[in-house]
Amino acid sequence: DTGVSQNPRHKITKRGQNVTFRCDPISEHNRLYWYRQTLGQGPEFLTYFQNEAQLEKSRLLSDRFSAERPKGSFSTLEIQRTEQGDSAMYLCASSWSGEQFFGPGTRLTVL
Amino acid sequence: KNEVEQSPQNLTAQEGEFITINCSYSVGISALHWLQQHPGGGIVSLFMLSSGKKKHGRLIATINIQEKHSSLHITASHPRDSAVYICAGGGADGLTFGKGTHLIIQP
């Protein structure tokens, strides 16, 4: 399967812990996006990369959120000091020509 | 106020009916995307369009740039079409999403 993959698929953590999610895009795609989706809502944009450059990060939800794409391939999204309000589905998508291909998401539950 | 508005929020129809979902946007976009999300499932891109009309099987998407409006049509609807349909606008720097239309097609 050469689609977008995300790991883990599910993460349960206690409030205050740090979590890190990984996204592996389609290999030839240069753009990678992170979105968050809460129950019953459409996704909201968090950040994106073109190759290894993070071109937009002002919409990350707080300074507890950070993302990296060190070699222009896979990306990680880290949330420090998690809060219950961080519970959501975190989606990754990649693209080459504009159409975005989405991964299955990582569902985060913060207890 | 969301910059991408969809209607209706919920739609229940009988198998075979012609379905229309509408999307209005207030931001400048380079493309309008229609996406499908099944319960507990990932998101699948249906269409990306910047003008005119596209067709794929029983699905048709149209966009009117001047009116900042797009529609997604499903002909001969089937229960397997039941899903959330999401409209999103934007460009290479990320998408702004509508809240989605929850479609149920009853047999």
Side-chain angles (χ1 to χ4, degrees):
Chain A
D1 187 341
T2 57
V4 179
S5 63
Q6 292 187 245
N7 288 288
R9 295 291 304 277
H10 303 273
K11 177 71 177 177
I12 300 174
T13 191
K14 293 183 178 179
R15 186 164 49 95
Q17 299 294 306
N18 298 343
V19 294
T20 299
F21 310 139
R22 176 177 169 130
C23 171
D24 287 89
I26 294 171
S27 60
E28 63 268 24
H29 285 184
N30 61 345
R31 289 201 169 98
L32 186 150
Y33 303 84
W34 284 100
Y35 299 96
R36 184 179 84 156
Q37 186 177 25
T38 53
L39 201 61
Q41 301 294 315
E44 60 181 320
F45 171 77
L46 296 179
T47 187
Y48 91 103
F49 295 85
Q50 179 162 314
N51 300 312
E52 66 275 12
Q54 190 174 12
L55 298 186
E56 173 59 65
K57 57 182 178 180
S58 65
R59 290 163 72 176
L60 284 168
L61 298 165
S62 79
D63 58 8
R64 297 183 297 105
F65 287 70
S66 63
E68 293 183 342
R69 193 183 185 198
K71 296 182 181 178
S73 56
F74 74 92
S75 175
T76 57
L77 177 69
E78 181 182 16
I79 309 174
Q80 296 182 325
R81 305 181 303 281
T82 52
E83 302 172 356
Q84 287 184 324
D86 297 332
S87 295
M89 177 76 85
Y90 291 84
L91 295 162
C92 172
S94 70
S95 76
W96 174 255
S97 60
E99 183 178 11
Q100 295 190 20
F101 294 81
F102 287 80
T106 294
R107 181 167 295 284
L108 172 67
T109 302
V110 181
L111 301 176
Chain B
K1 180 182 184 297
N2 199 15
E3 295 168 324
V4 178
E5 298 282 348
Q6 284 185 241
S7 63
Q9 283 190 285
N10 297 284
L11 178 57
T12 300
Q14 295 298 121
E15 183 174 358
E17 286 189 40
F18 181 81
I19 303 300
T20 296
I21 300 171
N22 294 301
C23 175
S24 297
Y25 54 93
S26 59
V27 293
I29 63 169
S30 59
L32 192 288
H33 300 246
W34 282 102
L35 310 163
Q36 181 193 58
Q37 187 172 33
H38 284 281
I43 293 176
V44 174
S45 176
L46 298 175
F47 295 103
M48 183 183 74
L49 64 166
S50 54
S51 65
K53 174 179 173 178
K54 287 190 176 181
K55 184 176 188 290
H56 184 247
R58 294 180 295 105
L59 301 178
I60 303 166
T62 64
I63 188 168
N64 184 317
I65 300 294
Q66 287 74 28
E67 295 185 3
K68 291 187 165 59
H69 181 271
S70 176
S71 293
L72 176 69
H73 305 286
I74 305 174
T75 61
S77 59
H78 189 275
R80 66 174 174 266
D81 297 326
S82 299
V84 176
Y85 291 84
I86 304 172
C87 165
D93 57 349
L95 299 176
T96 300
F97 294 80
K99 292 185 178 181
T101 294
H102 189 193
L103 175 65
I104 297 173
I105 303 297
Q106 295 177 333

